[in-house]
Structures are given as structure tokens and as C-alpha cells.
Amino acid sequence: MSPSNPIIQLTDVRRTYDVGAEQIHALDGVTAAVYENEYVAVMGHSGSGKSTLMNLLGCLDRATSGTYELSGIDTTKMSPSALAQVRNEKIGFVFQAFELLPKLSARKNVELPLIYTQNGAVGRRRRAEEALKRVGLSGRVNHRPNQLSGGEKQRVAIARALINQPAILLADEPTGNLDSKTSREILDLFSQLHQEGHTIIMVTHESDVASQAQRVVRMLDGQIVSDLPVEQDDAYQYRNGGQRL
Amino acid sequence: MKKLLFLPIRLVLMAIQNVCVALGQIWSNKVRSMLTTLGIIIGIASVSGVIGSLSGLKAKIITDFESFGLNNIYISPRQPDSGPLKHASPELIKFKPEEFEDLQAHCPSVKQMTRMSSFDAPVSRGERSIENATITCVDAAWIKIESRDVLQGRPFSLIDETQGRRVCLIDEKTRDKLNLDKECVGSLISIDNFNYRIVGLIEGAPDRAFANMGGGETFEVIIPFWSYYQEAKPWFSVIAASKTPELAADAQSEITFYLRRTRNQRPGDPDTFRVDTVGGELEQFDKIMGTITAVAGGIVGVSLLVGGIGIMNIMLVSVAERTREIGLRKAVGAKGSDILMQFLTESVVLCFVGGIAGIGLGYLITLAIRQIPNANLDQAYIPGWAIMMSLAFSAGVGIFFGVFPAFKAARLNPIEALRNE
């Protein structure tokens, strides 16, 4: 895909909530594009609209107005089940709280998206084991989430996000529940995936996490206030373990 | 096209998967699932128990019916309850012996027949007497129609029949009560103050649980029809036997036709007699029993509704508990319909498992019912259709009471579901 064809193209996206008689503009005219193999960090305080943006990008929510094109297809007018299929095939989610099903083994958790895919049964087990291997958990295939450390849980979640070879990987505060050492490992894993060609969008409010990305988008009051390569962003100074350059 | 071909396979795989997930879910909440399905288990068990007992009762009564012989056709006089003959004189209704003389010649399906009249009378021999013996007046063919064995002596002959000789057959109970010799053939006994000579000893009437006329202890004395008829001119009925059980219905029509003509009934007038076959009665009985079973089963089945409400309650709890799971499943691509099917399957599996357990319990109840003494339920069994129906019904309860919670789950907003604590 050439750089002129973005994977994600947002055009004047607005998302308005009705709270009583009042209207809240969670997203107030967002226009942005993400290209293949970009690593984007979205930063902002709570209430800045970054979570709303993430839900929209993940096709869990719809814009009130404006358009969202994913791989050149307008998702704005899709039916709920078509959106479910988009989530299944094109998007990999990584959540702050991992969201693993406690009664299933690591492998079964990773297999979950395949249940909802056409021909998902084909080689399901093998694919899940491969995905676990990619995130360095070959030895933990049959462990239950409560037998895994936080970092391992997040790796399982990443393996689950990768299993359908999605167009984009959406991570919402993926290190928010982890200690700093484990956070680093997970961020290294994201960098590795980026180098392997994945497109990653990560929401965070921590500068040192954002500094790992290629590009930093800062949001305030539902609008993008800055969109710069990481080298030109304030976060860049945290790149090497929080030491100011 | 390829997609279309794979669709059924995919659906089946999906269903198997859902069932496995549901079984896993049920297994991981063993105690709760057990308590929840108790309503269904008890409901299905009571329905099976009731149907089992009624089926046993029916089987018992049918055995009784069949002991009368499926060839047999019972003909008796009857005053019509409507039409011009409603007030006809009893003399017109009453059977006359000569009306039956040509019956066999005109009814090709009839193999044999006997006129029959019975009354209670004292029987005595010397000092010993029976106050109320059952005296049955019959023709020679009776013994074959009733398929009774002659233990000693001989049955009635045609001469006994046509001449109305004062001879009799008795059963062992009568013999012993009268204190006769074991070899009683040839002895004289007094029936209603007439002397009769015993020509044969016959076996007792078959033991019937429900259809034993009169009940209690009966002493049987059989005498030739004419020997009594010429004295008393009583009302009597007729038993005919068809050549085969299959011909019973034909014989019934032939006899009806013959009797209407012989008794000079005008077309359109109701019959002044009735002709019943055991098969016909059996059909009637079968219908009645079917209705009783359906009504009783239905009433007991109401308890399944209570069980169903329990299922709905626990499914709602399950949906609430697993809100985050539902949110996640939706985030990784589950459609509303996938979630709907998952929870619906869980509810159906829960009820189905309960249904199977209920049938098992119902079977045990049926086994216990069989042991009840003197209840005549020793043939109690749960028929196959009842098992199938119970399973189908419990699955139905699962669907009916699972739809609402499953819809609730399917309609959850994934963003809010994932935010749920």
C-alpha cells in the first residue's frame, strides 16, 4: 500500500453525547490519517476524547458525523454485524485490563476471535500456538490466566489480537496495569511487532510510553492539538528510561 | 458458492462449540446449575411419573379387556334414548330366543354364538348351601367362546342345549363350598329348588383386576339356556364370536344388519339393541385414557413453568456476571446473534440436562410405583413418546425462558460492557 492510501482516514469526525438537555462533544471535528506500518501514540488527559477516538477506530462506536475509512472502506454506514466482522478481521484490541476469559487456557483465549470467523476452525489450534510463540509464550499454552503474571497475561492478549492478522493493532493503555519492568518488556514487544510491519495505535497518558512510538498525537477537548513525529514531541525526551536529553 | 456449501458445516460446528461452552459453564457452576435445574428435574420427573402410572393402569386394563377375547361381540337389548322408539314397550325391546336362530346363517363372519342370561340364586346339596351363587344360562358354544377348560366330565352337548336338560357345570370353588367329592361329576345339586346333575367341572373365571363383575367371591354354576328360559322367560343377551379377531368389526355390522331386519326395524329408527366388540371398546377406552393422560400430564406440567422461571432467573444472573466477557467477545468480532446463540444454547442445555435427569428420576419413581401393593400398577412404564416429549418440552422451556436473558446479552453495548466492573 502506497503512502497515499492510508489504512485509516478520519474526516471531520464528530461524536456527540446527549447528557440530559446538554450536548457533550467528545470528538469535535477530528481529521487524521494513519498509514501502513506506522506506530502512533495518542495522548491526552482523561476527558480529552482519546478513549472515544479509540472506540471509534475499533468500530465499537460510530461517529455522529464525518467519515471513517478503514483500508479504503467507509465504515460509517455499516450494519452492526458488518462492523463485528470488521472488528474480527481488521482490528486487534489490547486492553489495559487484559480481558482474558478466566476459565479458558491461554491457547483457548487466543483462539477466541477465530470462533467468529469463516473457516475459523481450520488449523485453529496451530495458529493459536504460533501466535503465542510470537509473543514468547510457547511454554505457557495450557496455563489459565490466574496462573500467569501480568506481563504474560498481556502477551496472551497481544497474541489474541494478532491471530487474525489485523490491519491495525489498537492498544488502550496496554501497560497501565503493569510494573515498570514488565511495561518495558511489553513495549519492546510492540516495537518488535512494529518492526515486523504491524500498524499500531496506542492510547496512553504516560510520556515514556508514548516516546516509543513514531508519531505522537495529542488531544484536548475532543480535538487534535498536535500531531508530530516523536522526535519533535515533548515525549521524546523520555525515550531512554526517562532521562532528559 | 463455496461459502454457501460450508454454511451448514459451519452452523453445526458453531452449535457443537456453543454446547461445549455451555457445558463448561454449567460444570464450572455445578451447585448453582444443579439447584437451578431442580425445578425442571422435578417437573419432568412428576410428568413422567404421572404418565408412567397412567400408562401402567392402561396396560393393565387393556390386558383385562383382551382376556374377554378380541373375537367376542356382545349383543344386548337397549331402549333407544331418542326417536320414535324411545317409549316403545319393553316387550318390543326384549330379545326373543327365536330372533337368533338364523343369525349364524346370515352372518358369515360369526363362528359361534350363545345366548346368555344370569341371575343369583341359592344352590344347595344336602346341608351345605350357597346363598348367592351366580347362575349363568348359556348355549353349548359358550365354553368355547369363553375359552374355559373342562377339568372333569364334559361340556354341554347340543342335546343339553336343545332340550334344556337340567344339567350343570360348576367351578372348583362351588364344589368345595358345597363339600362335594373331588370327583363331583354325576352328583345332583339343587338350584333354586330344581335338581340339576353336574356333568362337568370347569376352571374358574379368569382373574381380572378391574372388570370382575360384582367383585368379591363368586360361585359359578352354569346351566343350559333353555332349562331356565322356558320357566322364566328372562331378559337375555347374546355373545357371538367372529372367526378371527380381524373379522370382529365385520361381524358387528352383519349382526346389526341382521337384527334390524329380524326385529322389523324401519330404516331411520335407532337400534333397539347394542352390538359391542372388545376392539371397539378398547378404542373408546384408548381415547378416554389418552385424554386423561394429556390432562393429568398437562396439569403436572405446569410445574415446569416454575422451573422455567428459575432458569430465566439464573440466566439473567449469568448475563450480568459475564458482562465483561460479552463485551470482550463483541470486541473480538462476535455478532449480536453469536452472543444470543451462546446464551440460548446455555439455557437449552441447562434445561435439557435437567430433562434427562428428570426422566431418570421419573423412571425411579415408576419403579417405585410398580411396587405399591394392590394398586394394579405393576405394569407402570414411561412410554417412548413421553420421553421424547419430555426432552422436547424441556428444550422448549429452555428456549422460551432463555430468549429474554439472551436478548439482553446480545444487545449489550460492548463499550459499556467492557467498562463494567
Side-chain angles (χ1 to χ4, degrees):
Chain A
M1 196 176 282
S2 72
S4 57
N5 281 333
I7 285 190
I8 287 173
Q9 176 68 60
L10 296 172
T11 312
D12 196 27
V13 169
R14 287 163 202 279
R15 181 70 176 92
T16 312
Y17 295 105
D18 291 320
V19 181
E22 222 180 329
Q23 280 199 328
I24 290 174
H25 302 282
L27 287 182
D28 199 6
V30 170
T31 300
V34 176
Y35 295 88
E36 192 175 348
N37 198 23
E38 273 199 292
Y39 187 174
V40 183
V42 179
M43 294 194 71
H45 299 291
S46 51
S48 62
K50 62 183 196 305
S51 290
T52 308
L53 179 65
M54 208 63 174
N55 290 337
L56 266 165
L57 290 176
C59 293
L60 290 169
D61 198 5
R62 276 176 215 262
T64 311
S65 71
T67 58
Y68 167 27
E69 284 174 43
L70 181 63
S71 307
I73 302 159
D74 187 5
T75 63
T76 325
K77 292 182 181 65
M78 279 188 173
S79 70
S81 64
L83 281 178
Q85 199 179 339
V86 169
R87 291 198 293 272
N88 184 255
E89 291 169 357
K90 302 227 161 129
I91 298 163
F93 280 100
V94 179
F95 300 94
Q96 179 176 357
F98 324 130
E99 307 297 350
L100 300 178
L101 297 186
K103 278 159 190 160
L104 302 182
S105 67
R107 179 170 61 77
K108 290 273 182 195
N109 264 293
V110 174
E111 282 179 11
L112 199 61
L114 295 181
I115 292 175
Y116 305 111
T117 318
Q118 297 270 346
N119 302 324
V122 181
R124 185 185 293 166
R125 188 190 176 114
R126 180 182 50 75
R127 284 167 70 185
E129 282 167 4
E130 270 168 22
L132 281 167
K133 198 174 168 190
R134 280 183 77 185
V135 299
L137 281 181
S138 316
R140 292 285 204 236
V141 171
N142 292 314
H143 287 60
R144 294 261 191 110
N146 60 8
Q147 298 167 309
L148 298 171
S149 71
E152 287 171 331
K153 282 184 204 168
Q154 196 58 297
R155 283 166 193 270
V156 173
I158 293 168
R160 180 180 63 197
L162 292 174
I163 193 139
N164 262 338
Q165 278 121 20
I168 51 167
L169 209 52
L170 291 178
D172 189 359
E173 305 270 13
T175 59
N177 283 13
L178 301 173
D179 61 47
S180 63
K181 183 173 166 285
T182 319
S183 295
R184 179 126 307 274
E185 288 169 12
I186 292 298
L187 288 173
D188 287 347
L189 179 56
F190 275 109
S191 296
Q192 183 200 322
L193 292 171
H194 174 227
Q195 272 155 31
E196 287 169 13
H198 284 279
T199 309
I200 300 167
I201 300 174
M202 182 187 288
V203 164
T204 184
H205 61 263
E206 289 171 71
S207 295
D208 59 333
V209 172
S211 72
Q212 298 301 311
Q214 265 185 328
R215 175 179 161 194
V216 179
V217 172
R218 287 180 181 271
M219 296 194 67
L220 187 67
D221 298 335
Q223 291 179 324
I224 294 176
V225 290
S226 98
D227 183 353
L228 298 165
V230 69
E231 293 83 358
Q232 293 168 38
D233 192 272
D234 287 348
Y236 190 59
Q237 54 192 317
Y238 297 94
R239 189 149 200 175
N240 294 312
Q243 290 166 353
R244 284 172 182 272
L245 294 174
Chain B
M1 193 60 208
K2 204 177 165 197
K3 267 188 187 176
L4 212 66
L5 279 173
F6 277 113
L7 190 67
I9 302 172
R10 202 172 114 74
L11 284 178
V12 169
L13 284 176
M14 209 59 209
I16 294 171
Q17 198 155 19
N18 277 334
V19 168
C20 291
V21 169
L23 284 173
Q25 192 65 34
I26 291 166
W27 185 247
S28 61
N29 290 315
K30 283 178 275 291
V31 175
R32 187 167 90 183
S33 305
M34 226 279 286
L35 291 175
T36 306
T37 45
L38 214 51
I40 300 288
I41 295 175
I42 293 173
I44 292 287
S46 15
V47 172
S48 323
V50 165
I51 292 177
S53 320
L54 287 174
S55 304
L57 194 66
K58 186 171 132 184
K60 191 80 176 174
I61 294 174
I62 285 176
T63 316
D64 270 12
F65 261 110
E66 283 172 350
S67 74
F68 282 102
L70 287 170
N71 302 42
N72 291 5
I73 300 143
Y74 297 86
I75 310 157
S76 48
R78 181 185 62 175
Q79 184 107 38
D81 40 20
S82 64
L85 294 171
K86 193 177 170 188
H87 303 293
S89 82
E91 279 309 308
L92 206 71
I93 306 297
K94 189 175 167 184
F95 283 169
K96 286 135 206 96
E98 57 274 17
E99 286 172 347
F100 295 89
E101 261 152 30
D102 288 337
L103 186 139
Q104 262 170 282
H106 288 88
C107 302
S109 303
V110 173
K111 187 176 166 199
Q112 48 207 359
M113 54 153 277
T114 173
R115 293 159 291 194
M116 187 166 118
S117 174
S118 77
F119 60 97
D120 288 349
V123 174
S124 65
R125 178 186 167 270
E127 307 281 278
R128 308 283 293 201
S129 69
I130 300 168
E131 280 306 309
N132 265 316
T134 304
I135 317 297
T136 310
C137 324
V138 299
D139 290 324
W142 173 85
I143 196 115
K144 286 180 201 139
I145 290 170
E146 279 275 288
S147 36
R148 298 264 204 107
D149 280 342
V150 180
L151 305 174
Q152 288 171 23
R154 60 165 179 85
F156 292 149
S157 64
L158 261 173
I159 299 170
D160 296 331
E161 177 181 324
T162 48
Q163 299 190 350
R165 289 170 67 179
R166 295 227 164 113
V167 291
C168 68
L169 303 169
I170 62 171
D171 66 357
E172 288 166 297
K173 273 194 286 183
T174 311
R175 176 192 69 186
D176 297 342
K177 182 81 177 176
L178 291 175
N179 212 10
L180 287 155
D181 292 339
K182 286 274 174 222
E183 308 285 329
C184 58
V185 174
S187 309
L188 280 172
I189 58 174
S190 156
I191 302 168
D192 215 6
N193 299 323
F194 290 96
N195 279 335
Y196 280 75
R197 186 168 302 280
I198 300 170
V199 294
L201 179 72
I202 56 168
E203 65 173 345
D207 198 15
R208 290 171 181 134
F210 296 97
N212 237 345
M213 314 301 189
E217 222 181 0
T218 52
F219 299 96
E220 271 195 301
V221 178
I222 318 294
I223 60 174
F225 180 73
W226 273 116
S227 70
Y228 177 66
Y229 190 83
Q230 56 198 0
E231 306 287 337
K233 307 274 185 293
W235 287 64
F236 68 93
S237 60
V238 173
I239 306 175
S242 59
K243 284 174 177 154
T244 65
E246 293 75 37
L247 284 172
D250 289 354
Q252 188 179 22
S253 322
E254 289 164 9
I255 292 167
T256 306
F257 180 80
Y258 166 82
L259 276 182
R260 283 186 69 87
R261 208 190 45 196
T262 312
R263 285 160 75 81
N264 294 319
Q265 288 207 252
R266 279 177 311 197
D269 282 355
D271 296 340
T272 52
F273 54 90
R274 51 186 297 169
V275 185
D276 299 313
T277 61
V278 173
E281 295 298 296
L282 218 50
E283 254 171 57
Q284 277 284 323
F285 169 74
D286 216 38
K287 266 187 213 157
I288 293 168
M289 212 54 199
T291 314
I292 292 175
T293 307
V295 168
I299 291 170
V300 181
V302 170
S303 66
L304 277 175
L305 287 184
V306 181
I309 291 165
I311 296 283
M312 176 149 78
N313 185 34
I314 215 69
M315 288 309 297
L316 284 171
V317 170
S318 182
V319 169
E321 273 179 356
R322 288 150 75 195
T323 304
R324 278 182 88 94
E325 175 189 327
I326 295 162
L328 173 82
R329 284 180 184 271
K330 286 197 152 185
V332 301
K335 298 178 183 71
S337 58
D338 293 323
I339 302 292
L340 182 81
M341 282 315 290
Q342 183 190 340
F343 281 89
L344 209 50
T345 308
E346 194 171 315
S347 157
V348 170
V349 168
L350 200 59
C351 288
F352 202 74
V353 169
I356 291 172
I359 289 169
L361 186 59
Y363 179 70
L364 293 180
I365 291 174
T366 311
L367 287 186
I369 285 173
R370 282 191 209 169
Q371 307 305 319
I372 301 174
N374 299 323
N376 285 312
L377 289 173
D378 51 305
Q379 294 186 42
Y381 72 105
I382 305 174
W385 63 264
I387 293 175
M388 299 311 288
M389 201 196 65
S390 297
L391 290 180
F393 204 81
S394 35
V397 166
I399 291 173
F400 186 81
F401 289 99
V403 155
F404 174 60
F407 253 110
K408 222 181 140 184
R411 291 180 51 168
L412 277 179
N413 178 340
I415 300 169
E416 278 161 29
L418 279 169
R419 217 180 281 147
N420 182 277
E421 284 307 317

